[in-house]
Amino acid sequence: MSQEFDADLTACADLVRRADPERFLAAMAAPVAARAVLFPVYAFNIEVARAPWVTQEPMIAEMRLQWWADALEEIAAGGLVRRHEVVTPLAHVLDASAAALLADLVEARRWDITREPFEDEADFTRYIEATSGNLLQAAAQALGPAAPEVLRDAGYALGLANWFRAIPALEAAGRKPLVDGRPEAVRALAQDGLRRLHRARAARGQVSRAAGAALLPLWLAGPVLHRVARDPRAVAEGRLGIAPARAQLSLLARGLSGRW
């Protein structure tokens, strides 16, 4: 938390600003000290999330993901860690437990390399929890005390909302992003996401104020999930955008109050 913003952290922040502007805004709404934790974690997520998409060769994609898995193994071991503008600052903020969470995230991202559909709803849920959920858990735990079950619920809700927004692009890339794409099934999925979001917020007291900075990316999850629950066809039609001015006002209010 006391880490200075050196060239590596500045590079991480710039990567997040360019590739994940919503998490960038959420990090900027967090306390200044928290940004030294959030930017390396979010930069790591960008590198891993795009690894399966920057090549048409599955073997190369596997090698890219394995590189990150190996880096996390080094971090978890607590010894010498490879020099890299994301890995180096990441090693300053992760303990072995958080590194293990992100290692599971890397493993889940191997699904992105193939064009295979999810086996069933449980498989889909595991993917969202291991990607979005583990990312949020690792960031929060690096900042302060928080109940893991609250973080899992919050991470799932955020991941589901973001997944809904990505579905048109995933389908255009030849993927099958949902087990059941019928409107009634999509609505039920959104309602489950809202249930978990409400449960997480009801247990807000189990997340320290410091760790709560990692939950600020939830600022758009509620509006997106509510829209899908009302109009599930908006998912396939790509109608899940939120007015920027309204969205940023909501983020500002949550950042000032700490009530993610």
Side-chain angles (χ1 to χ4, degrees):
M1 293 286 290
S2 61
Q3 190 180 359
E4 294 182 1
F5 253 75
D6 57 13
D8 287 338
L9 276 173
T10 300
C12 287
D14 189 55
L15 174 58
V16 178
R17 178 185 60 80
R18 289 182 283 107
D20 194 346
E22 290 178 2
R23 281 197 175 91
F24 177 80
L25 290 174
M28 293 302 292
V32 174
R35 298 172 196 168
V37 171
L38 296 174
F39 282 133
V41 174
Y42 294 163
F44 158 85
N45 184 57
I46 291 165
E47 295 283 14
V48 171
R50 69 186 182 186
W53 298 91
V54 295
T55 177
Q56 295 295 318
E57 296 294 331
M59 183 63 70
I60 295 176
E62 289 279 1
M63 291 171 62
R64 288 177 180 272
L65 288 180
Q66 189 59 47
W67 190 94
W68 288 100
D70 292 344
L72 289 167
E73 186 174 343
E74 293 168 1
I75 292 173
L80 184 66
V81 176
R82 64 193 64 191
R83 174 74 185 95
H84 185 271
E85 65 182 14
V86 175
V87 176
T88 300
L90 195 65
H92 290 303
V93 302
L94 297 184
D95 60 13
S97 174
L101 286 167
L102 295 185
D104 287 344
L105 182 158
V106 173
E107 187 63 29
R109 283 292 181 186
R110 297 185 193 278
W111 179 88
D112 297 339
I113 298 174
T114 72
R115 297 182 182 272
E116 296 298 318
F118 292 107
E119 294 178 5
D120 50 30
E121 292 291 351
D123 190 33
F124 173 78
T125 297
R126 282 192 295 270
Y127 175 87
I128 299 296
E129 289 182 339
T131 52
S132 176
N134 281 19
L135 180 70
L136 190 148
Q137 283 190 72
Q141 291 177 7
L143 289 167
E149 62 273 15
V150 179
L151 301 179
R152 280 194 294 270
D153 278 341
Y156 176 80
L158 175 60
L160 182 61
N162 288 340
W163 191 256
F164 281 144
R165 296 166 71 192
I167 279 178
L170 290 167
E171 291 182 333
R175 309 298 169 91
K176 186 180 179 183
L178 294 175
V179 176
D180 187 343
R182 294 174 302 158
E184 56 269 32
V186 173
R187 175 180 286 112
L189 203 55
Q191 290 170 339
D192 184 54
L194 285 169
R195 178 184 60 81
R196 294 186 66 169
L197 177 61
H198 294 158
R199 187 167 67 188
R201 286 177 169 162
R204 192 181 280 115
Q206 298 178 47
V207 177
S208 66
R209 180 69 180 253
L215 282 82
L216 288 174
L218 283 167
W219 58 313
L220 293 180
V224 169
L225 292 174
H226 277 293
R227 182 171 294 183
V228 176
R230 290 194 306 269
D231 181 12
R233 288 182 173 82
V235 174
E237 295 170 6
R239 294 187 286 104
L240 294 178
I242 306 295
R246 174 187 169 193
Q248 292 189 28
L249 282 173
S250 172
L251 174 60
L252 178 62
R254 293 186 183 280
L256 290 173
S257 68
R259 293 180 61 82
W260 42 268

